[in-house]
Amino acid sequence: MAINPLLNPIRNVANKHDVREYVEKLDDAVPRTKGIIYIHVPFCPSICTYCSYDRVKYGKDDEEDYVHHLLEEMNLYSRKKLIQSAGFFAVHIGGGTPNMLSDGGIRTILNTLRNSFNIEKNAVINVEIGSKAYSREKLALLKDLGCNRLSFGVQSFDPGVRKRSALTTSNDGLKEMINDIKQFGFDINFDLMFGLPGQDEEIWESDLRKAVEFEPASLDVYCYYPINSKYYSLYKRKQAFRSGYRVEMPNEETILKMTEMTFTLLCANGYVQETAEDFAKPGKFSIIKAVGYTKNEISDNYIYLGMGPNSIGNINPYVYRNKFYNVPRTKSYLSDSSETGGFPIFLLRKNISPELKNLVLFPKVIKMKKARIGHRLLHEFSSRIEDLKARNLIMDDGDNFMLTDLGKLWIDNISYEFMNAEMKANFEDTIFSYSEA
Ligand SMILES: C[S@@+](CC[C@H](N)C(=O)[O-])C[C@H]1O[C@@H](n2cnc3c(N)ncnc32)[C@H](O)[C@@H]1O
Ligand code: SF4
């Protein structure tokens, strides 16, 4: 999954002038640049009740249609000079559940990627895999195709939480899969979630302790975000009781305690908190996340080429989002794209300056060099910064701003303090627009 908190799908569909400029700029000849590729695979064996992403239940015909259009999109980009100039040092295949695709589908996508783009020799090739579509044969295939990092959706080990989430794999099954992944020699990342219905502090502590026993290279820890999910719809329609989902959501105080428990326990077990959600053993933090969240200087000038439905991309000066897979009337996300030069773009927006992006995302990445924010913004926001320091939410070591432990509980709120009016409106839309799955 690729996230850009500065861009959400609710407002601003692409306007014609921007689209024309975007397509023209793809033909610019530029000196060699660096890049990352993200590919979204929207299929899952079944839908988890908490999941808010662009995903649909798998169908063989749908896979064929999807792969066909994805190859067409790859072909469109691969003919552009700007893309040809980029050396891609990381590929992330996310979803959905990429391991749901057939062997042929996976092979075609990865081979076409290598044939169409300049993927560097030591590139990180990361694939998200879900337990419901797991097989050892698929691991062998991914290894054979050069994938070196797998992100595995564990979510919770608690049987009650798993049942309500429609996660069907037992703890023994998970253990077997994790051991396999390690034996194949992949770096393994776990996705974990807290704040799920019925998941109290005790369950969360046990989830964290069980997770660290497996010594994953890194963990993505998400607080449940109740939009677009089946569970939330049931809950809202008060069908919760009838459907056996009559379990309270943890309250805000519990969520704060769970957040604090997360960074305290993971850091005590040798993990470094790299962003609000990412914890990694030293040297094991995902380069894709690092660049995507502006963690380092590469972020200020790089190409983030997102392909597949609902992907986000960043090709300066634009940030774009592709159409969703389940668009009304047709599932072919590339259809009706003649007005956007054949590209399946749904939303296109000019990038904000790297300095403002760095300031807004600073809380998300925990620590930020002041030089990357620049004198002008430091001056403009000086009273807000002083106020946050006085409230013991952020610290300043001379060269960097850092979050305090108290600040780590209020990351989005601190970020909000630095947003301009448009970002604030978008952010509020995301937070307050709970919709049906
Ligand atoms: C889009 S999913 C793809 C992963 C893969 N399909 C799997 O199940 O393992 C990526 C991660 O997002 C997280 N996630 C999904 N829905 C969420 C929600 N509503 N709030 C917060 N995190 C969520 C889960 O941890 C999930 O593993
Ligand atoms: S969590 Fe993963 S497997 Fe479950 S519905 Fe979402 S994308 Fe699919």
Side-chain angles (χ1 to χ4, degrees), residues 195-249:
L196 285 164
Q199 191 186 28
D200 59 19
E201 282 168 72
E202 210 176 304
I203 292 177
W204 180 231
E205 180 171 352
S206 158
D207 278 336
L208 286 169
R209 290 197 186 283
K210 284 190 179 144
V212 297
E213 273 173 27
F214 288 106
E215 300 188 340
S218 59
L219 300 110
D220 288 3
V221 185
Y222 301 105
C223 179
Y224 174 49
Y225 201 60
I227 58 168
N228 279 332
S229 63
K230 211 165 164 180
Y231 178 79
Y232 191 76
S233 308
L234 289 171
Y235 193 80
K236 227 171 53 164
R237 286 192 227 123
K238 304 208 187 320
Q239 290 175 351
F241 179 71
R242 262 183 289 142
S243 315
Y245 286 96
R246 193 165 177 267
V247 185
E248 290 300 315
M249 304 265 274

Side-chain angles (χ1 to χ4, degrees), residues 290-291 293-300 354-359 365 367-374 377-378 399:
V291 175
Y293 279 136
T294 79
K295 183 95 185 161
N296 57 34
E297 280 82 356
I298 306 174
S299 317
D300 298 342
E355 289 82 7
L356 182 57
K357 198 168 171 182
N358 291 341
L359 179 61
V365 296
K367 181 175 179 179
M368 176 68 71
K369 278 187 192 149
K370 286 158 81 172
R372 295 185 60 218
I373 295 168
L377 287 179
L378 289 178
D399 293 332

Side-chain angles (χ1 to χ4, degrees), residues 4-7 294 299-300 314 316-319 349-361 376-377 418-420 422-423 426:
N4 183 335
L6 305 184
L7 186 78
T294 79
S299 317
D300 298 342
N314 186 343
N316 272 331
Y318 284 103
V319 187
R349 182 178 297 161
K350 279 237 163 88
N351 246 331
I352 52 173
S353 71
E355 289 82 7
L356 182 57
K357 198 168 171 182
N358 291 341
L359 179 61
V360 174
L361 288 183
R376 193 184 60 77
L377 287 179
F418 300 126
M419 291 181 187
N420 63 27
E422 191 192 0
M423 288 180 215
N426 281 325

Side-chain angles (χ1 to χ4, degrees), residues 14 75 87 114 124 198 259 364 376 380 408:
N75 182 35
R114 288 193 192 277
V124 177
T259 310
K364 191 96 182 164
R376 193 184 60 77
E380 188 182 325
K408 287 179 192 170

Side-chain angles (χ1 to χ4, degrees), residues 41-48 54-67 96-106 109 132-133 138 325 331:
V41 181
F43 304 114
C44 294
S46 61
I47 306 302
C48 308
D54 186 29
R55 71 289 178 267
V56 289
K57 201 161 184 290
Y58 176 82
K60 182 90 187 82
D61 292 348
D62 294 339
E63 171 176 336
E64 279 169 22
D65 172 76
Y66 160 80
V67 173
T97 307
N99 55 315
M100 187 69 230
L101 292 172
S102 64
D103 288 7
I106 294 177
I109 292 172
K132 285 189 265 187
K138 209 116 309 157
Y325 184 75
K331 285 181 170 175

